[in-house]
Amino acid sequence: MTPQALLFDVFGTLVDWRSGLIRDFELHFKKHPCDLDPALLADAWRAEYQPSMAPIRDGSRPSTKLDVLHRENLFKIADRFGFPLGDETDIDWLVKAWHRLPAWADVPSGMAELRKQAICAAQSNGHIALSVNLARYNGYSWDAVLGAEVVGTYKPAPESYFRACDALDLPPAACMMVAAHNSDLLAAKACGLQTAFVRRATEHGPGQTIDLEAASGMDLSADSLTELAHKLRNEIR
Amino acid sequence: MTPQALLFDVFGTLVDWRSGLIRDFELHFKKHPCDLDPALLADAWRAEYQPSMAPIRDGSRPSTKLDVLHRENLFKIADRFGFPLGDETDIDWLVKAWHRLPAWADVPSGMAELRKQAICAAQSNGHIALSVNLARYNGYSWDAVLGAEVVGTYKPAPESYFRACDALDLPPAACMMVAAHNSDLLAAKACGLQTAFVRRATEHGPGQTIDLEAASGMDLSADSLTELAHKLRNEIR
């Protein structure tokens, strides 16, 4: 069955967080010289994301915007690696690097193609403002921005997928999760959604070892949103 | 200060619910003949909207999608006026008339202009699916769809405006409420938002007596979104 809605993961699937963070650390270090490898810091900053969400997932910390977590995590890695943060303005600018992440090249045109075929909605653990700013920064558009504030929980909790479908008035089987991460897709599949794997083989840099292939049982697999649009038109009936 | 985000009322401000309902009652009565005036029924159906939200507003009924309320209200007016509803398929089709309301002619191009200047978000009491479907039906796009499910309450409660701004990471003063209804705008203004009145002088038909002029103190007033885009570019610094 052709899906009536596509739900998209954002970080890694649509935007290249690693290149974006490297670029902005390089710019920051022009102002505040430092000979650490920006790629190391990008990976370290991203690695703090899941642990920092754990207390929110288990209810011991109230729902918190990703900007706040990113800021706390930036202080952690600055402490650990010993690099200069600069003043409040510099810190705010670095935290906002997450709002300036570049989309993979196929995203703007691929998303426009996909929106002709189905409702396209962000289903990220990021907050609404972040999804909105990334879309405007990169020139792609959503039909709806769902995610943490709308569904009241985080992926991969089953409720996050069920409530996203419900927000669009659609049963899970009429929705397709689109992600570069098999863990996200398998959780969505367990909730009855269709699934599309988009390969982002350099999300974690040149030595990436995970998510290089779709797990078995995915409905579609593509190397870009453009290819996904083509396959959706031709392979799903 | 130029607003960074525009929050839009939808019913009446962007879409012409009365013409849309009249059109679909006329189509329905071709199948199920009836000599009642479709305009009378459109007005009666719309008039049930606010009373049906009252128990949800005061907490005596849990949050309920507008489709459910529209369906209950359709049965009420069918009973009162005595018109044929047809079978379940016909009833579903009539309820979904609210997803097929035509936008005022200036909306698609005006919205595209406004999105170049600011984040544009739906801030309707309608549920997300309804705002999404109306946008796709009429060919305009949102940066974000806010509203009841995101803010957890209904306009004109102050929290509805505060939480909408917060969802976009913006202070109220950086946001502008756009509506054809002074009551909505005055409530937003009391929360510190900027306000733009868009005149929809036939929203309630040819004999409309309310909302023909902006209340005093509105930041902008326009006859179309196109004019609003022009004024926003030229009159607000």
Side-chain angles (χ1 to χ4, degrees):
Chain A
M1 181 173 72
T2 304
Q4 292 179 61
L6 305 175
L7 304 180
F8 290 80
D9 174 64
V10 173
F11 294 97
T13 301
L14 300 185
V15 299
D16 179 1
W17 54 267
R18 194 171 189 268
S19 299
L21 298 185
I22 290 172
R23 176 199 63 198
D24 283 357
F25 272 122
E26 283 171 350
L27 288 168
H28 179 72
F29 292 156
K30 283 194 182 162
K31 193 170 167 189
H32 302 284
C34 167
D35 55 11
L36 286 168
D37 177 5
L40 176 80
L41 302 180
D43 290 337
W45 200 2
R46 176 67 176 170
E48 292 295 335
Y49 165 70
Q50 290 293 346
S52 67
M53 297 238 303
I56 301 170
R57 282 207 180 91
D58 73 20
S60 58
R61 180 177 185 176
S63 177
T64 306
K65 285 192 182 187
L66 214 42
D67 280 353
V68 175
L69 301 181
H70 282 149
R71 191 184 176 86
E72 295 171 359
N73 295 340
L74 178 65
F75 279 95
K76 268 189 212 163
I77 62 162
D79 241 27
R80 186 185 319 150
F81 292 94
F83 63 85
L85 279 174
D87 62 17
E88 273 301 310
T89 307
D90 297 320
I91 294 167
D92 281 345
W93 184 83
L94 269 176
V95 169
K96 282 287 168 76
W98 293 90
H99 294 242
R100 292 184 301 264
L101 300 174
W104 302 105
D106 53 279
V107 170
S109 60
M111 185 69 80
E113 276 305 306
L114 288 166
R115 286 188 63 212
K116 293 178 194 163
Q117 297 183 60
I119 293 168
C120 289
Q123 171 63 351
S124 166
N125 285 336
H127 57 298
I128 291 173
L130 188 46
S131 289
V132 168
N133 291 343
L134 285 171
R136 289 178 66 87
Y137 179 80
N138 286 295
Y140 60 88
S141 286
W142 292 117
D143 289 303
V145 176
L146 306 175
E149 290 138 300
V150 178
V151 301
T153 182
Y154 296 96
K155 297 185 295 181
E159 291 74 19
S160 72
Y161 303 100
F162 288 134
R163 290 180 194 153
C165 301
D166 188 55
L168 298 175
D169 276 353
L170 293 171
C175 298
M176 177 179 270
M177 186 74 210
V178 180
H181 311 123
N182 284 305
S183 56
D184 193 354
L185 294 171
L186 289 168
K189 187 177 163 63
C191 295
L193 285 80
Q194 298 180 59
T195 50
F197 176 83
V198 179
R199 190 195 326 270
R200 300 303 188 188
T202 59
E203 176 188 352
H204 297 281
Q208 181 165 330
T209 56
I210 59 164
D211 290 327
L212 294 172
E213 298 293 337
S216 70
M218 299 297 126
D219 296 292
L220 288 177
S221 173
D223 283 336
S224 66
L225 294 199
T226 326
E227 192 190 358
L228 179 61
H230 181 79
K231 288 192 168 181
L232 196 61
R233 205 182 289 279
N234 294 292
E235 293 185 14
I236 302 265
R237 288 278 166 259
Chain B
M1 183 174 72
T2 305
Q4 291 179 62
L6 305 174
L7 304 180
F8 289 81
D9 174 64
V10 173
F11 294 96
T13 302
L14 299 185
V15 298
D16 178 2
W17 54 267
R18 192 171 191 269
S19 298
L21 298 185
I22 290 172
R23 175 201 63 198
D24 283 356
F25 272 123
E26 282 170 351
L27 287 168
H28 180 73
F29 291 156
K30 281 192 183 164
K31 193 170 167 190
H32 301 284
C34 166
D35 56 9
L36 286 167
D37 178 5
L40 176 80
L41 301 181
D43 290 339
W45 201 1
R46 175 69 176 168
E48 292 296 333
Y49 166 70
Q50 290 293 348
S52 68
M53 297 240 303
I56 301 170
R57 282 208 180 88
D58 73 20
S60 58
R61 180 176 185 176
S63 176
T64 306
K65 287 193 180 185
L66 214 43
D67 280 354
V68 175
L69 301 181
H70 281 149
R71 190 184 177 85
E72 294 172 359
N73 294 340
L74 178 65
F75 279 96
K76 268 189 212 163
I77 61 164
D79 241 28
R80 186 186 318 150
F81 292 95
F83 63 84
L85 280 175
D87 62 18
E88 273 302 309
T89 308
D90 297 321
I91 295 167
D92 282 345
W93 183 84
L94 269 176
V95 169
K96 282 287 169 75
W98 293 89
H99 294 241
R100 292 184 301 262
L101 301 174
W104 302 104
D106 54 280
V107 170
S109 60
M111 185 69 79
E113 277 304 306
L114 288 166
R115 286 189 63 211
K116 293 179 195 162
Q117 298 183 60
I119 292 168
C120 290
Q123 171 61 353
S124 163
N125 285 337
H127 56 300
I128 291 174
L130 188 46
S131 288
V132 168
N133 291 342
L134 285 170
R136 287 179 67 88
Y137 179 80
N138 287 294
Y140 60 88
S141 285
W142 292 116
D143 289 303
V145 175
L146 307 176
E149 290 138 300
V150 177
V151 300
T153 181
Y154 296 95
K155 297 186 294 181
E159 292 73 19
S160 73
Y161 304 100
F162 288 133
R163 291 181 193 155
C165 301
D166 188 55
L168 299 174
D169 276 354
L170 294 171
C175 298
M176 177 178 270
M177 186 73 210
V178 180
H181 312 124
N182 284 304
S183 57
D184 193 355
L185 294 171
L186 289 168
K189 187 178 163 66
C191 295
L193 285 80
Q194 299 181 57
T195 50
F197 176 83
V198 179
R199 189 195 326 270
R200 299 304 188 188
T202 59
E203 177 189 350
H204 297 280
Q208 181 166 327
T209 55
I210 58 164
D211 290 326
L212 295 171
E213 298 291 337
S216 69
M218 300 297 126
D219 295 291
L220 287 177
S221 171
D223 284 336
S224 66
L225 294 199
T226 326
E227 191 189 1
L228 178 61
H230 181 80
K231 288 192 168 181
L232 196 62
R233 204 181 290 279
N234 295 291
E235 294 185 12
I236 303 264
R237 288 277 165 258

